Amino acid sequence: MKDNLISELSGRYGDDKTDKLVRYMQRIRDINEHINLTAVREEGEFLEKHIVDSLACNDYEEFQRAKLVVDMGTGGGFPGIPLAVTNPDKKFILVDSLNKRLKVIDQVAEELGIRNIELVHVRAEDMGHNVKYREKVDVCVSRAVASLDILSEWCLPLVKKGGYFIPYKGESAEDELTSADAAIRVLGGNVEKIENPSQDKNAISGHRLIFIRKCNSTPKRFPRKPGIAKKSPIR
Ligand SMILES: C[S@@+](CC[C@H](N)C(=O)[O-])C[C@H]1O[C@@H](n2cnc3c(N)ncnc32)[C@H](O)[C@@H]1O
């Protein structure tokens, strides 16, 4: 599986970018022995679940148009780093509330010469109120961070009007959308479509991508203070 995936990646992205993706995987796997970044250990599974899955956005023009992208709750750099490696013309802001993980990304990105990233150590609930970031980004992606109603409150405030919040969601995508429907509208978003790249013969991704367009400004009171989104969901 590993060799097939690598040759598919090379065919699509070229040898240099594929080499960087594979080296990133290898370094994260090494570091994972000491700092827990992922439960996935085997190389083929890592390539599929972390690298190829992260790249799913590249197939969509809503993402291709973006110049500035946030990855909220990036952890070990997913989906942000694979997207940054394959899109050197875009800038990526990788955000996490745990600095230990950002330091790992910083070290490995430096070693591999990945320069189109900025690492921001902040809680999502605070970032949304910083004028440097609020309604400034073209796209915000996020994978495996929080349920969609909470995540929308953290991510939609960052997206500029006309831009997109694109959460990567598992099989619960439709159910999460039902629960988050009111929140998304209150926060200024509109759900345009759900894509399932794993059904596309050209792509392997375990996640669905939900495309939420930012249509209206987010009311200033959002995001609320840490813990409130979970305790009092927007209904
Ligand atoms: C399960 S990990 C997922 C990491 C990565 N996105 C992936 O798919 O492999 C969730 C990450 O979200 C971060 N996170 C959780 N709550 C956050 C918040 N309020 N603000 C910023 N980051 C947060 C955690 O520190 C953690 O690194």
Side-chain angles (χ1 to χ4, degrees):
M1 172 166 80
K2 180 189 151 199
D3 293 340
N4 285 349
L5 287 176
I6 291 177
S7 79
E8 272 181 39
L9 289 170
S10 284
R12 169 137 192 210
Y13 296 108
D15 291 343
D16 288 353
K17 287 176 187 160
T18 301
D19 182 54
K20 243 180 213 185
L21 293 170
V22 171
R23 283 166 63 208
Y24 187 77
M25 167 183 77
Q26 286 163 343
R27 290 294 290 121
I28 294 296
R29 284 182 74 234
D30 290 346
I31 294 167
N32 206 38
E33 301 286 322
H34 315 287
I35 297 174
N36 186 28
L37 297 164
T38 171
V40 177
R41 311 232 168 234
E42 195 268 321
E43 277 204 333
E45 193 187 356
F46 195 113
L47 270 175
E48 186 175 346
K49 291 204 171 144
H50 287 322
I51 305 291
V52 179
D53 185 62
S54 292
L55 296 171
C57 264
N58 281 337
D59 291 329
Y60 301 95
E61 61 116 12
E62 293 86 347
F63 178 77
Q64 287 163 0
R65 279 201 303 261
K67 291 191 169 64
L68 182 61
V69 179
V70 159
D71 176 15
M72 181 58 72
T74 191
F78 305 107
I81 288 287
L83 290 172
V85 168
T86 51
N87 293 278
D89 51 328
K90 303 187 198 304
K91 182 177 170 192
F92 290 81
I93 303 176
L94 275 47
V95 181
D96 209 286
S97 53
L98 215 62
N99 207 24
K100 196 165 73 167
R101 296 194 170 133
L102 293 177
K103 282 186 176 159
V104 170
I105 301 175
D106 192 33
Q107 181 196 330
V108 180
E110 177 72 29
E111 285 169 22
L112 300 185
I114 302 167
R115 300 200 207 290
N116 55 331
I117 58 168
E118 177 186 335
L119 303 174
V120 180
H121 174 217
V122 69
R123 291 186 78 127
E125 297 91 326
D126 298 323
M127 187 174 186
H129 291 288
N130 185 333
V131 290
K132 190 171 163 201
Y133 302 111
R134 189 177 178 90
E135 303 204 323
K136 297 288 190 300
V137 312
D138 300 307
V139 164
C140 180
V141 293
S142 187
R143 192 185 80 156
V145 175
S147 61
L148 188 58
D149 53 348
I150 296 174
L151 201 58
S152 297
E153 183 165 341
W154 293 354
C155 295
L156 273 169
L158 301 170
V159 179
K160 63 165 75 152
K161 270 201 236 173
Y164 283 84
F165 165 40
I166 312 179
Y168 288 53
K169 283 288 171 186
E171 285 176 4
S172 63
E174 277 86 0
D175 290 344
E176 287 198 44
L177 258 179
T178 306
S179 312
D181 186 56
I184 291 168
R185 271 186 285 113
V186 168
L187 294 159
N190 180 46
V191 179
E192 285 193 345
K193 59 180 177 179
I194 308 181
E195 295 282 355
N196 190 349
S198 59
Q199 286 177 346
D200 180 339
K201 66 177 174 33
N202 296 316
I204 307 164
S205 166
H207 284 102
R208 291 163 173 74
L209 300 178
I210 305 176
F211 288 78
I212 302 172
R213 186 179 164 90
K214 181 79 174 269
C215 295
N216 298 306
S217 278
T218 303
K220 284 204 167 59
R221 64 182 187 283
F222 300 112
R224 292 167 292 170
K225 288 197 166 33
I228 307 289
K230 191 165 186 184
K231 229 184 321 180
S232 309
I234 305 168
R235 292 284 183 247

